[in-house]
Amino acid sequence: MSLSSAILQVRNLSVSFGKLKAVDNISFDVNRGVIHGFIGPNGAGKTTTIRVISTLQVPDSGGVWVGGMNVLTHPNEIRSKLGYMPDHVGVYSGLSVLEYLDFFALARRIFGSKKQSVISDVVELTGLGDLLDREVESLSKGMRQRLCLAQTLLHEPDLLILDEPASGLDPRARIEFRELILELRRLGKTVFLSSHILSELSPICDSVSIIETGNIVAHGPLEEIQDRMSKGVTSFEVTLLKDPNEDVEALLSQLPSLSLKMIQGRKFRFEWNGEVEGVAKVWELLSVNGFVISSISKKEDDLENIFMSLTTGEVQ
Amino acid sequence: MKKEILYRVLGVSMIQKDLFLAMKRTSWMIIQLLYLLVMGFVLAVAIVAWDSDISNGSSLWSTADTATVVSTYLFCQVLVICVIFPFLAGSSISRERSEKTWSLLKTTAMTPGELIRGKYFALVSQCLYVMLLTAPLLVMTTLLGGVSLGAVIWEYLLHICLVAWICAVGVLSSALARKGVGAILGTPLFFFFPMMFVIALAGETYLGNQSMLLGQIEQFFTLDALAGFISVSAFVLSGVAALVGAIHLISPVNSLRSLPTRFGIFALYFYASAAFLYYVNSNIPSWFDYYWVVAMFVGGAGLPLLRIAGGEPQVPLSVRQFGRDHPFPARMLAMFLPGGLRNLLFCFLILCLFIPLGLVEIEPSTARSANLDVSRVEADVAFSQGLYFSVLFWVAAVLSFAWFLGQCGCSSILSASVAFTVHLIALLAMTVLSVRFDYFWPVFSPNFAMISTPFNLFQILGSSSARSFQRGFEAYFESSIRMDTLFNLLQIGVFTGLGCFVSLRNKKPLLSLESESDAGLLLDLPAEIADVSPVTDLKNQKPDLQEETK
């Protein structure tokens, strides 16, 4: 067993389908107890990587370790620690919610009274309590996603692999699902989720991996990536109390570290190339010249901007 | 704990789920309805027969009527089994795939074996349920006399065996199909010929002879026990192999996927060899014809193995796989895994199956007329027998050549093609030289004679009918040293040695002292995966964002 804080370790992973290299020598770690976003355009290799992690696909080379165990040598042990939710949730038409959960509990070797208590726990967590007798087929897409998540939680896995869990959900279901994922993190689970909807991921993810054409183009905590992306340049937005009568642009041009990006009424935006503390000079310069600053805020790149900067849109 | 073992061995959770879902499906209702229609039809036939008997003034119910009813019913049952059950079985796994539930199942604690066993027993249970729906009525019919209840029960058991086989092959067909359409198209492909045979046999037996299939089989066993044994064991083995194949098809481990295929190839050659030995030997009286036929059979049957021999090296053979810590079946099956030296050894193992064909003792006195020199004929037989083994060694030499090319990095098809073409060109060259220069007989130039055994065979066999070849035949016959066999042995040694050298040079050793997996034989990892350590420092592998964004 590995003593590393990483629950998931991917090393030099490559998977090909004929001549197509779906995943090309990628490596990354995911730490315990975090929500890790796995982002990439269609055909980038997200689902292939997820399938290898979930013991469903054999790689050409490289390896994946979950909790220190290789997915190829210990697939059964890994399945007991891992909950997998595929991008297309399959349901058995004809089974009720309770029967569905009962079957998956038996399939995960949970018997007797333990089975009952585990089912009631996951039902409570996922909010399926009122739907136990409903046929799975009649559930809405959001509820099916919840049901599938419930079945992945039955064996109390440490790591949850969710492939596009929010796709096709309406806004309410999306928000509810997001809350559910945050609740899982509070319970100490590690969540590895892929998604196209970046605005959904940025508020909940602790770290991300961005993949394109089978290669990881960025990996790490979101703040770290943002810092690296900024390359020492920080954006600020300033709002003045009154419309400036004088030429602010000429005034600010005195500061060599400042690059003015936009002026619109009382607002203007600039980039500061240097230590963030140096921005005080802007405040000072404006105050000396009679400008009253109403607010000044630091602007950070959001996940969408990072994604757009790092990816080229190339498909395999 | 006991419950868990039961669930693990039989796949009980899968059986429960499949049976529960099947009961709710419309198709299930249709199958039951069809079965009841069959029974209704049979009873209607019985009633018609009953009426006609009354009009003829005969007794109310004759024993002959019962036999007719039972035979008709059993035929209809075979018909339903052969027409409906393959489709029921053929959709078992593909349905899971099309409903997108398959990947969920594969990430549960159920092993591939448990999944397949569960699917299989669920299918057999469904089929048995349908068959047993009408069984009480049949038992009532037999109580009227004319048919032994025991015979009917045995016949039912035979039908159950057929159902068990259909379900096994159906599960394999379903595991093979990636999509539902593939399963629908594949099922008739798998079942068409065997099912047509069964229906024809059942029709002939039940309707034509008014007898039982089991009786026919017993009769077949009495007439020819060995043929009966071969047929029954082939039936049982194909069912077991189908289930094993299905398990390995759904297993994500690469090397295992080749296991059932290799096992199937071995079984195919084994049965072909056994059948050849049994039937050809008894049906070809002349020693001359016998060795000609078996030599051609070995030459023809051995060549498809070129592709296996020339396969990619892949995984080295682990010496530890033969250690006592591995169970005996696992040690035996190690030879059936692909890669490295095993490719060649597997081909040689199959060639060994042909050895008995050359050891058959032919009676020279029955082959030739009495006034012929017996010692001469015996010498002819010995020579032909030697020639047969020359062909065997020639096939082994070509296989070694293909294996060597495979170790050099050629693909399996390329290796097979090149190895075969080189020998074909040698054969053609020898033919051209022999025709062009009359004195250029292989016998006088052993170095040429050795190159192409098939050429020698053609030439020598041809010499008995074509007088112009007589000289060559005589001379070759009289030579005491079989140079071609020696040459072929030399080729085997040289190409095997070269192959070993190349593989070592390419850092792909043929043998490894490392165990291929902690879990034993059944996980056969590519070397590069096993070598990678999970504690590699990632810092050096992080992409340079500034570089990448440019």
Side-chain angles (χ1 to χ4, degrees):
Chain A
M1 289 288 288
S2 169
L3 296 173
S4 161
S5 62
I7 191 167
L8 173 66
Q9 294 165 293
V10 177
R11 292 288 180 279
N12 308 108
L13 185 72
S14 294
V15 185
S16 301
F17 298 106
K19 288 181 179 174
L20 176 76
K21 200 118 187 173
V23 177
D24 190 5
N25 198 28
I26 64 168
S27 299
F28 61 87
D29 280 359
V30 175
N31 289 334
R32 284 176 196 276
V34 300
I35 298 176
H36 184 88
F38 196 49
I39 306 160
N42 286 333
K46 296 190 300 295
T47 299
T48 306
T49 308
I50 283 176
R51 285 178 62 81
V52 176
I53 297 169
S54 308
T55 72
L56 292 170
Q57 175 99 38
V58 176
D60 297 341
S61 62
V64 173
W65 285 260
V66 176
M69 290 181 290
N70 191 316
V71 291
L72 287 169
T73 51
H74 299 85
N76 294 329
E77 290 86 343
I78 284 171
R79 282 173 199 152
S80 69
K81 290 180 176 293
L82 181 144
Y84 168 64
M85 184 172 152
D87 49 352
H88 295 286
V89 176
V91 289
Y92 293 109
S93 48
L95 290 186
S96 71
V97 169
L98 187 60
E99 286 160 353
Y100 183 87
L101 291 174
D102 193 76
F103 164 64
F104 276 102
L106 290 173
R108 294 185 192 282
R109 313 234 187 283
I110 306 166
F111 303 106
S113 57
K114 193 187 173 194
K115 185 180 75 178
Q116 302 307 326
S117 80
V118 162
I119 289 177
S120 68
D121 285 350
V122 296
V123 163
E124 192 185 332
L125 181 72
T126 51
L128 292 166
D130 298 333
L131 305 169
L132 286 178
D133 296 325
R134 278 268 297 274
E135 282 219 355
V136 173
E137 209 178 17
S138 68
L139 294 179
S140 65
K141 170 103 182 171
M143 285 299 151
R144 283 187 190 193
Q145 297 284 77
R146 276 168 178 263
L147 178 62
C148 193
L149 183 65
Q151 75 82 16
T152 65
L153 292 169
L154 284 168
H155 57 301
E156 299 171 22
D158 298 328
L159 175 64
L160 288 164
I161 309 284
L162 313 179
D163 194 1
E164 302 283 355
S167 67
L169 297 186
D170 62 41
R172 170 173 282 277
R174 243 181 237 172
I175 292 164
E176 286 173 354
F177 205 83
R178 196 170 66 193
E179 289 304 314
L180 203 52
I181 290 169
L182 288 169
E183 179 60 25
L184 290 170
R185 181 173 63 182
R186 279 192 284 277
L187 291 170
K189 310 278 182 205
T190 309
V191 183
F192 181 89
L193 77 160
S194 77
S195 182
H196 286 117
I197 307 156
L198 304 180
S199 57
E200 290 293 318
L201 287 180
S202 49
I204 60 169
C205 283
D206 301 301
S207 57
V208 292
S209 297
I210 300 177
I211 184 170
E212 190 182 35
T213 58
N215 294 289
I216 296 285
V217 292
H219 169 78
L222 204 52
E223 297 81 24
E224 201 180 293
I225 293 176
Q226 283 165 339
D227 287 346
R228 272 187 279 165
M229 281 294 295
S230 64
K231 300 166 197 165
V233 177
T234 319
S235 294
F236 290 91
E237 192 171 274
V238 178
T239 309
L240 300 172
L241 198 62
K242 291 176 185 170
D243 271 347
N245 298 324
E246 296 176 44
D247 189 358
V248 180
E249 195 173 344
L251 187 68
L252 292 174
S253 64
Q254 295 172 21
L255 299 169
S257 300
L258 186 144
S259 163
L260 197 62
K261 291 291 172 189
M262 180 271 288
I263 301 180
Q264 198 172 39
R266 292 186 295 128
K267 282 186 181 176
F268 63 92
R269 188 180 290 174
F270 66 89
E271 280 181 0
W272 184 258
N273 191 355
E275 291 295 315
V276 179
E277 289 74 24
V279 179
K281 288 178 188 170
V282 180
W283 183 285
E284 195 183 324
L285 185 70
L286 289 170
S287 302
V288 167
N289 289 282
F291 293 103
V292 181
I293 296 171
S294 169
S295 67
I296 182 164
S297 58
K298 188 177 164 189
K299 289 285 166 194
E300 287 181 315
D301 267 343
D302 62 10
L303 199 52
E304 280 180 3
N305 287 336
I306 293 172
F307 182 75
M308 290 308 288
S309 310
L310 289 172
T311 57
T312 57
E314 189 186 336
V315 287
Q316 294 189 86
Chain B
M1 192 63 190
K2 278 180 185 172
K3 199 171 185 179
E4 190 175 335
I5 292 168
L6 193 70
Y7 270 73
R8 197 181 283 270
V9 172
L10 296 176
V12 174
S13 48
M14 182 57 79
I15 297 175
Q16 284 176 338
K17 189 268 294 174
D18 272 7
L19 287 181
F20 190 77
L21 285 175
M23 300 291 171
K24 289 191 168 185
R25 285 199 185 110
T26 317
S27 56
W28 181 248
M29 300 301 292
I30 293 170
I31 289 169
Q32 291 185 62
L33 189 69
L34 270 173
Y35 235 75
L36 290 172
L37 277 174
V38 169
M39 196 56 209
F41 170 75
V42 174
L43 285 176
V45 169
I47 289 163
V48 169
W50 193 1
D51 281 347
S52 63
D53 281 345
I54 292 168
S55 63
N56 290 338
S58 60
S59 61
L60 198 62
W61 184 272
S62 72
T63 52
D65 292 333
T66 315
T68 308
V69 169
V70 170
S71 294
T72 312
Y73 170 78
L74 290 173
F75 174 69
C76 290
Q77 180 159 278
V78 168
L79 209 60
V80 173
I81 287 172
C82 292
V83 173
I84 295 173
F85 289 177
F87 287 95
L88 198 68
S91 64
S92 58
I93 294 173
S94 52
R95 187 192 290 270
E96 297 272 3
R97 285 199 174 115
S98 61
E99 287 180 349
K100 311 273 184 200
T101 47
W102 190 233
S103 56
L104 284 180
L105 286 178
K106 285 173 81 178
T107 50
T108 62
M110 286 193 283
T111 59
E114 197 179 329
L115 283 171
I116 293 295
R117 284 195 294 274
K119 284 273 165 206
Y120 176 69
F121 287 125
L123 275 170
V124 172
S125 311
Q126 285 174 53
C127 297
L128 287 186
Y129 168 76
V130 173
M131 282 172 70
L132 293 174
L133 272 180
T134 52
L137 291 171
L138 193 65
V139 172
M140 283 169 67
T141 315
T142 59
L143 289 176
L144 292 168
V147 178
S148 151
L149 182 60
V152 173
I153 290 171
W154 278 111
E155 203 66 6
Y156 248 82
L157 285 176
L158 190 72
H159 287 195
I160 289 169
C161 289
L162 179 64
V163 165
W165 185 84
I166 287 174
C167 289
V169 180
V171 168
L172 175 69
S173 159
S174 192
L176 272 171
R178 292 271 150 221
K179 291 179 180 174
V181 180
I184 291 168
L185 293 173
T187 304
L189 202 73
F190 259 91
F191 288 100
F192 184 76
F193 288 109
M195 293 302 100
M196 287 302 286
F197 170 74
V198 170
I199 290 169
L201 183 69
E204 176 67 19
T205 309
Y206 292 131
L207 304 181
N209 301 337
Q210 296 276 312
S211 59
M212 296 287 178
L213 263 180
L214 201 66
Q216 290 281 90
I217 293 169
E218 272 176 32
Q219 208 175 348
F220 182 54
F221 261 96
T222 316
L223 287 171
D224 199 334
L226 185 65
F229 172 75
I230 290 174
S231 308
V232 170
S233 61
F235 177 78
V236 174
L237 272 179
S238 61
V240 174
L243 286 178
V244 174
I247 290 169
H248 294 298
L249 273 172
I250 65 163
S251 164
V253 182
N254 275 338
S255 58
L256 281 181
R257 294 194 174 198
S258 302
L259 196 62
T261 315
R262 295 244 164 145
F263 192 72
I265 290 169
F266 183 79
L268 186 76
Y269 274 99
F270 175 77
Y271 276 97
S273 175
F276 210 87
L277 189 67
Y278 184 70
Y279 291 109
V280 177
N281 180 28
S282 56
N283 290 311
I284 299 179
S286 157
W287 61 271
F288 187 80
D289 289 341
Y290 175 80
Y291 287 114
W292 162 258
V293 171
V294 290
M296 288 299 104
F297 170 68
V298 170
L303 291 177
L305 296 172
L306 282 173
R307 204 174 157 187
I308 293 175
E312 288 173 16
Q314 292 178 341
V315 192
L317 173 63
S318 170
V319 177
R320 285 196 192 173
Q321 282 180 345
F322 296 99
R324 290 197 173 177
D325 51 330
H326 287 288
F328 181 71
R331 277 184 268 161
M332 291 296 292
L333 286 173
M335 288 306 299
F336 289 82
L337 287 171
L341 195 63
R342 276 174 292 198
N343 287 343
L344 188 63
L345 293 177
F346 176 72
C347 294
F348 286 170
L349 188 69
I350 286 183
L351 286 187
C352 287
L353 294 174
F354 297 133
I355 291 174
L357 295 181
L359 298 176
V360 172
E361 286 187 15
I362 303 289
E363 292 290 334
S365 55
T366 59
R368 292 290 174 102
S369 57
N371 57 356
L372 205 75
D373 181 1
V374 175
S375 61
R376 172 67 183 267
V377 173
E378 279 174 351
D380 280 0
V381 171
F383 168 75
S384 298
Q385 214 165 14
L387 198 68
Y388 168 76
F389 284 106
S390 293
V391 172
L392 208 60
F393 281 117
W394 173 73
V395 174
V398 186
L399 289 170
S400 308
F401 186 30
W403 179 76
F404 160 68
L405 293 172
Q407 299 302 307
C408 290
C410 299
S411 67
S412 58
I413 292 176
L414 186 67
S415 305
S417 309
V418 170
F420 182 69
T421 310
V422 165
H423 278 261
L424 194 68
I425 289 170
L427 190 148
L428 292 171
M430 287 294 295
T431 311
V432 170
L433 287 171
S434 301
V435 172
R436 177 69 182 81
F437 307 104
D438 189 46
Y439 60 87
F440 196 74
W441 290 114
V443 283
F444 301 126
S445 308
N447 53 330
F448 285 106
M450 293 178 294
I451 290 175
S452 181
T453 305
F455 173 74
N456 286 332
L457 183 71
F458 280 118
Q459 191 189 34
I460 291 156
L461 291 173
S463 66
S464 66
S465 52
R467 299 302 301 168
S468 59
F469 279 78
Q470 193 63 40
R471 190 166 59 120
F473 170 72
E474 293 291 336
Y476 191 76
F477 167 69
E478 284 162 8
S479 63
S480 55
I481 305 168
R482 302 203 60 87
M483 294 299 286
D484 53 349
T485 301
L486 286 177
F487 181 73
N488 284 328
L489 277 170
L490 192 70
Q491 275 196 92
I492 295 168
V494 167
F495 285 124
T496 308
L498 279 175
C500 294
F501 173 73
V502 169
S503 65
L504 283 171
R505 203 174 170 184
N506 292 344
K507 293 178 181 172
K508 285 189 175 175
L510 297 163
L511 292 174
S512 159
L513 286 174
E514 296 299 318
S515 177
E516 281 169 303
S517 152
D518 295 340
L521 169 73
L522 295 183
L523 277 165
D524 200 348
L525 300 180
E528 57 267 38
I529 295 174
D531 288 340
V532 179
S533 162
V535 290
T536 311
D537 186 10
L538 258 185
K539 281 179 184 171
N540 298 328
Q541 294 167 3
K542 270 184 185 169
D544 184 349
L545 283 171
Q546 292 185 0
E547 285 284 319
E548 304 255 356
T549 44
K550 280 175 193 170

